[in-house]
Amino acid sequence: MKKILLALLIGFAISGKAQLNYINYHKELNQAKLLIAQSKFEEALEIHQQVFKEYPKHFYKDVHNACVCAIRCNKMNKAFELANELVLLGYQLEDFEQSAFDALRNSDQWNFFCKAYPKLRKDYESTVSLNLREKYYQLFLDDQLVASRDEGYGDLKNDSSFFVLTKRLKEFYESDGIPNYLHNKDTLNIKYFILYRHYFGMKNNADNKPDIKNKTDLYEKIDALDWKKVFLNELQQGNIDPQFYSNAVIYNDYSNPYGKTAVKIDFEKEKVMLFMNLKSDEIAVKNENREAIGLLLVNESNSDILGNTWYAKYPFRLIKDSLVTVTSPNPMAKLKVIRKFESKIRDSYQNSDLSDFFMGDYNQIKETHFFGLDL
């Protein structure tokens, strides 16, 4: 009876672990990023620790953020514990030369870390299959050869070649699964991503253009690979992250189910905010889609994330004072003044204290919308 009970308990434990959904992992760490943006490093570290305890798979950017939070909180034992994990996720000693780790290197414990490093590095290397890397790298080279023809999606010869490569990629997936190096700092990650980007670029292009899709059964075979379904499962299992998923599946999808992030520049409140230039009901749908895969919602409440960008230094007062002197009725005259001051701030923007963290590519947002300003 005791053996049966023990077996049931083990079964429940295994079942519980199998049901972990890593979309929730990313949702929780999105909240940690918002706390980091507010310089609430201790609270952010607590969230990281809770999430890492619950979920066994970690992405190196998340561990990096947690490590820097620990440094900012002067919790050096925890920082070195996380630094050890970073080595197991591909970091080398040179990666710790970043300013984010200055306090770590100046610590009395740094020499002990350096002595432990060779074994940690060896443990990391033991998890990396060189044969697997070579296989995917060669597939990437073949992919680039097709891409170099520059014939574009929709060309039957081009799409047929991409299909052959994607079919081979599916065979690799069925034998290897998603390579574990996607959790690590690894130069192969972007190359691996490009393989899927070309698949979805080809598939979505055909979906947008029935005249292309209906001319041959090639696109039925492309659809049958069903990478989107595979990706969603791998996202839930913690083998890819939401950015990898969304950036791949939306390529050439004109409907963009996750919306285009813009910045609302409110001159009345003198605030910059996350924004989507859509009707409120459409924004709600886009944000539902974002939440479903673990992306940060685009709304005013989450605008603190812009604290790591030049937008946080937006020159409201300088622009307002200068616009008073513009006499031309042409709106372009005022816009020229605005762009001049924006350019100065953007070009002179120095890395902030938050630049030590992986916060997303919000600094690259180019679409802006002005409110409370008469143009």
Side-chain angles (χ1 to χ4, degrees), residues 203-249:
K203 171 183 163 39
N204 291 335
N205 180 71
D207 288 344
N208 294 331
K209 301 173 181 176
D211 57 317
I212 291 176
K213 187 160 188 173
N214 297 331
K215 73 166 68 169
T216 169
D217 66 352
L218 170 66
Y219 298 102
E220 292 180 11
K221 297 176 183 177
I222 290 170
D223 288 343
L225 292 174
D226 206 3
W227 274 116
K228 190 172 183 179
K229 181 179 179 181
V230 171
F231 266 25
L232 183 58
N233 179 62
E234 295 296 343
L235 175 62
Q236 294 167 340
Q237 296 299 317
N239 297 322
I240 61 175
D241 64 28
Q243 287 71 33
F244 189 104
Y245 175 92
S246 61
N247 289 343
V249 303

Side-chain angles (χ1 to χ4, degrees), residues 75-109:
K75 296 185 175 182
M76 301 311 290
N77 289 337
K78 174 55 67 174
F80 275 105
E81 178 186 322
L82 291 162
N84 287 341
E85 184 173 356
L86 283 173
V87 176
L88 296 175
L89 291 171
Y91 270 40
Q92 300 185 61
L93 278 180
E94 63 193 45
D95 292 305
F96 293 98
E97 293 174 7
Q98 302 171 52
S99 61
F101 301 107
D102 284 350
L104 209 66
R105 295 194 311 276
N106 293 328
S107 166
D108 293 338
Q109 300 177 59

Side-chain angles (χ1 to χ4, degrees), residues 177-196:
I178 295 288
N180 65 353
Y181 54 68
L182 286 187
H183 294 95
N184 305 340
K185 183 181 181 185
D186 194 306
T187 56
L188 197 57
N189 288 350
I190 185 64
K191 299 177 177 65
Y192 183 74
F193 167 78
I194 287 171
L195 299 174
Y196 293 105

Side-chain angles (χ1 to χ4, degrees), residues 52-66:
F52 291 165
K53 185 177 181 180
E54 183 177 358
Y55 297 87
K57 300 174 188 176
H58 309 153
F59 293 84
Y60 84 89
K61 291 182 180 180
D62 302 323
V63 179
H64 173 106
N65 284 353

Side-chain angles (χ1 to χ4, degrees), residues 275-288 298-299:
F275 181 71
M276 277 195 263
N277 189 29
L278 297 169
K279 296 177 181 178
S280 58
D281 58 334
E282 294 173 326
I283 293 173
V285 171
K286 303 292 185 184
N287 273 328
E288 283 178 10
V298 176
N299 57 34

